[in-house]
């Protein structure tokens, strides 16, 4: 008969299983040594030994004078400001195209792209709104919706924004084809080819692709995984470089998951206003604050019109409807012209249907349920990764949104890992995609949690962990 494991090992196994099931969530405090010894009826050194075993395998971290916590944290220190940081052209797009090629493959387990799973979107309510709009609009639904776009939708957007502190008139909004077009217009009206744009590091790769296609250079601002863009480092960069615009995702950041504090958002707006540098705010995840009041965007603190606010319903409602909008502040006229030049007009049917989703309350009802589902999935995915991925791995559950940024042990090559996973039908986002020239984040990956934690998906997470472990 096999020997039973020593006491400390058996206790560590039980705790490991509890973490794996999600009973002990990422970030949760573990029982103290004394409490664990009482529960397990063992000596304090044995209880401590069990916790140290979990610590050695990267599942928990010890905090001085506080105890052990389920590992959920990125290193808390800000990245050091890069001395002599240089503005660089964006060169890395191959991985992005590989990711899109994977997304096109049928039957893919899609943990890479940041798209909500279709089953969580309110297809029936969307169909109702679309049918209603088609009936209401008749033949006029077939015409161009000339920029700035339908007033009913702009009015609804303005009404909703007022609820979280942005008081804006419908006349200050331009409807766009998704956030990506809003961002493109914002960059077009603030920069010319060769200019430098300051971005978060890591930075959402769609922004990097836009910079590349407009011939702009990027300068990376050190960004804290908990608090966001390092504002002191940004101030230094503004002094040393001629920066034409700053792009930030300050709420539910992609990929880090932080939401900047209100105080920091105000400081960022003031800093850029004083420097005369426009802030281009990407708020595409802003509505995903389940169970909490919606975080105000930086735009709510913009008194001079220097913030160009860009967003869409792609992460919350219907990525394929391609509806977004921009509140460009004092650059309204320039953006309006650029919008016409970009693609002439929008679609009245989609715009009217979205106005209906907002006014009927269907969007808010959906957000409540969807937000809870995201929260549950983020929790389960995080626990699974914490339990099944190699020791030394670090992750931090996001403040808001549905993305997990995982730092693997330094020897893991995330690009090879992504290739190995792709050959087994699993797609994940390699960290290098979030850096202008791919020179950073070689052992990081991004995971999309906006999908149900099915046994198949959890098995896929385990498999990625196993593939990473093989690289040891
Ligand atoms: C931060 C961020 N901004 C913008 C987008 C794209 O938005 P849209 O589909 O509305 O163009 C994404 C999609 O992943 C994103 O993560």
């Amino acid at each position: 008969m096999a020997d039973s494991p020593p006491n400390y090992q058996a206790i560590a196994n039980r705790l490991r299983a509890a973490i794996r099931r999600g009973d002990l969530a990422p970030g949760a405090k573990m029982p103290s040594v004394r409490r664990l010894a009482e529960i397990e009826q063992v000596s304090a050194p044995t209880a401590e030994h069990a916790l140290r075993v979990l610590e050695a395998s990267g599942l928990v971290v010890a905090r001085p004078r506080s105890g052990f916590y389920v590992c959920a944290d990125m290193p808390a220190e800000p990245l050091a400001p890069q001395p002599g940081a240089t503005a660089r052209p964006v060169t890395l797009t191959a991985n992005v195209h590989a990711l899109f090629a994977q997304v096109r493959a049928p039957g893919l387990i899609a943990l890479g792209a940041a798209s909500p799973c279709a089953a969580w979107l309110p297809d029936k309510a969307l169909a109702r709104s679309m049918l209603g709009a088609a009936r209401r609009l008749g033949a006029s639904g077939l015409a161009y919706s000339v920029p700035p776009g339908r007033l009913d939708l702009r009015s609804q957007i303005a009404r909703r924004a007022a609820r979280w502190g942005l008081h804006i008139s419908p006349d200050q909004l331009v409807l766009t084809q998704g956030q990506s077009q809003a961002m493109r217009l914002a960059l077009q009206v603030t920069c010319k080819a060769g200019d430098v744009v300051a971005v978060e590091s890591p930075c959402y790769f769609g922004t990097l692709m836009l910079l590349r296609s407009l011939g702009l250079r990027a300068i990376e601002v050190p960004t804290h995984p908990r608090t966001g863009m390092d504002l002191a480092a940004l101030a230094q960069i503004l002094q040393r470089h001629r920066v034409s615009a700053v792009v930030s995702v300050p709420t539910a950041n992609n990929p880090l998951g932080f939401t900047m504090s209100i105080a920091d958002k105000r400081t960022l707006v003031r800093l850029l206003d004083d420097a005369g540098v426009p802030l281009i705010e990407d708020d595409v995840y802003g509505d995903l604050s389940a169970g909490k009041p919606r975080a105000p965007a930086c735009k709510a603190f913009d008194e001079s019109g220097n913030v160009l606010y860009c967003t869409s319903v792609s992460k919350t409602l219907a990525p394929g409807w391609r509806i977004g909008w921009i509140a460009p502040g004092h650059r309204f006229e320039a953006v309006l012209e650029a919008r016409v030049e970009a693609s002439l007009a929008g679609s009245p049917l989609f715009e009217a249907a979205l106005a209906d989703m907002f006014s009927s309350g269907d969007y808010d009802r959906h957000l409540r349920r969807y937000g809870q589902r995201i929260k549950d999935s983020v929790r389960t995915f995080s626990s699974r990764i914490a339990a099944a991925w190699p020791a030394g791995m670090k992750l931090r559950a996001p403040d808001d949104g549905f993305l997990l940024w995982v730092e693997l042990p330094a020897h893991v090559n995330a690009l090879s890992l992504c290739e190995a996973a792709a050959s087994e039908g699993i797609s994940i986002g390699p960290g290098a995609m979030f850096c202008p020239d791919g020179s950073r984040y070689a052992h990081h990956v991004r995971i999309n949690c906006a999908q149900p934690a099915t046994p198949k998906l959890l098995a896929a997470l385990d498999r990625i962990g196993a593939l990473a472990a093989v690289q040891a």
Side-chain angles (χ1 to χ4, degrees):
M1 206 169 81
D3 289 342
S4 50
N7 268 349
Y8 73 87
Q9 192 64 58
I11 298 167
N13 290 347
R14 278 194 287 281
L15 290 172
R16 188 191 307 273
I19 293 172
R20 203 181 165 104
R21 281 193 309 271
D23 296 348
L24 289 162
K29 190 169 193 308
M30 300 292 290
S32 66
V33 168
R34 201 162 60 183
R35 181 78 192 113
L36 188 61
E38 271 169 28
I39 297 169
E40 296 286 353
Q41 308 218 315
V42 293
S43 67
T46 302
E48 183 171 356
H49 195 164
L51 289 165
R52 294 284 173 204
V53 167
L54 296 180
E55 184 186 27
S57 62
L59 279 182
V60 304
V61 281
R63 297 205 190 128
R65 291 187 298 284
S66 176
F68 289 85
Y69 289 79
V70 180
C71 194
D73 281 341
M74 298 271 295
E77 292 308 306
L79 307 174
Q82 317 293 317
T86 46
R88 288 171 294 168
V90 178
T91 52
L92 194 90
T93 54
N95 294 319
V96 181
H97 293 300
L99 184 70
F100 272 79
Q102 287 168 19
V103 169
R104 285 192 280 270
L108 176 91
I109 301 179
L111 292 159
S115 284
C117 82
W120 282 4
L121 300 177
D123 55 337
K124 292 194 177 58
L126 287 164
R128 255 197 325 272
S129 296
M130 186 55 93
L131 264 174
R135 288 206 189 95
R136 233 178 21 256
L137 268 58
S140 67
L142 309 175
Y144 285 135
S145 173
V146 175
R150 284 182 64 92
L151 180 59
D152 53 358
L153 178 54
R154 287 182 290 120
S155 302
Q156 284 299 328
I157 292 169
R159 200 164 297 156
R160 295 184 63 78
R163 293 189 343 209
W164 50 261
L166 172 60
H167 299 282
I168 193 166
S169 130
D171 298 342
Q172 295 168 290
L173 291 164
V174 179
L175 304 183
T176 58
Q177 290 174 342
Q179 191 277 352
S180 305
Q181 189 180 58
M183 177 64 69
R184 177 178 280 273
L185 302 179
L187 289 167
Q188 275 176 350
V189 302
T190 51
C191 307
K192 56 182 185 331
D195 280 3
V196 174
V197 176
V199 297
E200 285 146 348
S201 177
C203 173
Y204 161 55
F205 59 81
T207 300
L208 295 177
M209 286 197 301
L210 276 175
L211 296 187
R212 181 168 184 270
S213 88
L214 294 170
L216 300 170
R217 288 176 294 152
I219 190 159
E220 294 174 278
V221 184
T223 300
H224 191 292
R226 243 178 247 286
T227 51
M229 206 179 247
D230 180 332
L231 298 180
L234 175 62
Q236 268 184 25
I237 287 174
L238 294 179
Q239 274 170 10
R240 292 185 188 154
H241 300 262
R242 186 193 287 265
V243 171
S244 296
V246 175
V247 175
S248 172
V249 189
T251 303
N253 178 268
N254 176 4
L256 289 176
F258 63 79
T259 289
M260 265 180 136
S261 69
I262 288 180
D264 282 351
K265 285 180 177 172
R266 282 185 193 278
T267 307
L268 175 61
V269 171
R270 206 173 318 121
L271 173 69
L272 294 185
D273 208 15
D274 291 347
V277 176
L279 171 61
I280 305 179
E281 178 175 29
D282 178 347
D283 195 37
V284 81
Y285 297 94
D287 277 352
L288 294 178
S289 49
K292 294 181 291 183
R294 201 244 197 240
C298 289
K299 182 71 183 167
F301 311 114
D302 175 27
E303 289 169 6
S304 69
N306 189 43
V307 179
L308 297 99
Y309 171 86
C310 308
T311 191
S312 74
V313 287
S314 299
K315 303 301 165 189
T316 51
L317 192 68
W321 278 24
R322 306 307 299 138
I323 298 194
W325 54 94
I326 177 167
H330 65 69
R331 296 174 178 85
F332 180 87
E333 290 303 330
V335 165
L336 187 60
E337 281 179 13
R339 171 68 185 90
V340 174
E341 285 163 16
S343 64
L344 281 189
S347 156
L349 268 188
F350 285 101
E351 292 175 10
L354 182 57
D356 179 62
M357 285 296 297
F358 285 158
S359 64
S360 65
D362 279 344
Y363 180 68
D364 286 317
R365 267 187 292 281
H366 157 66
L367 273 190
R368 280 192 288 277
R369 179 141 189 255
Y370 177 64
Q372 190 52 51
R373 284 174 146 170
I374 286 176
K375 233 170 138 175
D376 293 345
S377 263
V378 165
R379 189 167 177 268
T380 311
F381 280 39
S382 309
S383 310
R384 191 64 169 229
I385 291 173
W389 286 24
M393 168 286 309
K394 290 167 185 153
L395 74 94
R396 170 170 188 261
D399 293 332
D400 299 293
F402 52 70
L403 300 171
L404 285 181
W405 180 247
V406 187
E407 181 184 345
L408 287 153
H411 64 264
V412 175
N413 178 330
L415 277 176
S416 314
L417 176 64
C418 293
E419 274 166 27
S423 71
E424 300 191 14
I426 307 167
S427 140
I428 43 180
M433 274 169 48
F434 298 84
C435 171
D437 62 1
S439 62
R440 278 183 240 279
Y441 310 117
H443 58 288
H444 297 69
V445 294
R446 192 195 66 181
I447 300 287
N448 167 25
C449 304
Q451 45 199 326
T454 58
K456 188 175 165 191
L457 241 139
L458 294 177
L461 287 177
D462 290 351
R463 184 65 195 138
I464 300 166
L467 289 170
V470 173
Q471 287 194 13

